[in-house]
Amino acid sequence: MNTMTASMSFKGLKVSLEADRELTFKEIFKLHQLVTGNDDELNVEDDGDSKPTDSSVSDIPDYGEQVNTDIECPFCGYTSTRTSDTVPFGFHFIKCPKCAKKLFLSYATANRGVPNEKGFYYIADREFHDRRSSDTSDEYSKMFAHNDNPDIPDAYSTIPEIKDYLDRQGIDYTGARLKGQLLELIPSK
């Protein structure tokens, strides 16, 4: 088995890459970007002799074009391994065909607009959270909600403010070093 190794160093950072196949120029260029932190774009001019790449920009579907979607609903268990479930390219969610819950559309591969080996452009396998929604039922919204009583510390209070409150309430916080640990000691009403 042939292995290919590429190693680059820049300003004290050294990165090595080993593959069981020949690395492409694009992969080596990405290694260069990683080492140097440079965001240069890869521009390869067509000399007429090169073969088209697997994922050229022209292969990306147009916005709104129907593309195959793999659905695995975490709510009702609906799964679809057929290519008849499609969604317009560029959309962020799809409703489950069985339970109608909103599911987030994540890219099926690491690259936008490139299908996976089964021909799916998106995978819908987790709940969609709308940023504009006023629904605060999830745990993170509750965790970072402002307290109604300004005298009681919340996630936006500093550690000294939280410790001061705990001291005034006579609550022992020995062993609690992190803000979250201190906040957990405050009794909820």
Side-chain angles (χ1 to χ4, degrees), residues 2 4 17 34-35 40 43 57 83 90 97 107 111 141 165 182:
N2 294 337
M4 183 172 183
L17 179 66
L34 177 66
V35 172
D40 288 342
N43 293 316
V57 175
T83 57
Y107 300 130
N111 299 318
S141 296
Y165 174 82
L182 293 168

Side-chain angles (χ1 to χ4, degrees), residues 176-187:
R177 295 181 11 227
L178 303 174
K179 183 188 249 186
Q181 294 170 331
L182 293 168
L183 287 171
E184 287 175 357
L185 297 173
I186 298 172

Side-chain angles (χ1 to χ4, degrees), residues 3-147:
T3 59
M4 183 172 183
T5 304
S7 182
M8 292 186 189
S9 61
F10 180 75
K11 293 187 179 178
L13 176 66
K14 181 178 182 179
V15 177
S16 296
L17 179 66
E18 184 174 298
D20 293 332
R21 58 177 174 72
E22 186 173 322
L23 295 171
T24 65
F25 177 78
K26 189 173 184 178
E27 290 169 324
I28 294 172
F29 184 80
K30 293 234 180 243
L31 178 64
H32 164 75
Q33 286 179 313
L34 177 66
V35 172
T36 62
N38 197 336
D39 292 332
D40 288 342
E41 290 186 27
L42 176 61
N43 293 316
V44 179
E45 294 183 20
D46 186 10
D47 59 4
D49 295 333
S50 61
K51 297 183 287 185
T53 60
D54 292 339
S55 60
S56 65
V57 175
S58 62
D59 291 342
I60 294 177
D62 292 328
Y63 182 81
E65 182 180 334
Q66 293 292 319
V67 295
N68 298 331
T69 304
D70 185 11
I71 302 172
E72 301 169 11
C73 183
F75 300 103
C76 69
Y78 175 84
T79 58
S80 170
T81 54
R82 20 185 202 108
T83 57
S84 62
D85 286 312
T86 63
V87 66
F89 184 74
F91 279 33
H92 299 287
F93 71 88
I94 186 174
K95 287 189 177 181
C96 173
K98 185 175 178 185
C99 69
K101 296 276 191 177
K102 286 184 176 181
L103 303 175
F104 179 72
L105 292 171
S106 58
Y107 300 130
T109 64
N111 299 318
R112 177 182 179 270
V114 178
N116 65 11
E117 65 279 354
K118 295 179 183 176
F120 295 114
Y121 285 80
Y122 290 112
I123 296 176
D125 61 356
R126 63 182 186 263
E127 182 181 9
F128 175 77
H129 296 284
D130 192 350
R131 293 180 298 184
R132 296 167 288 184
S133 173
S134 61
D135 179 24
T136 58
S137 61
D138 67 281
E139 62 183 274
Y140 296 109
S141 296
K142 290 176 185 175
M143 186 184 310
F144 292 104
H146 281 286
N147 213 331

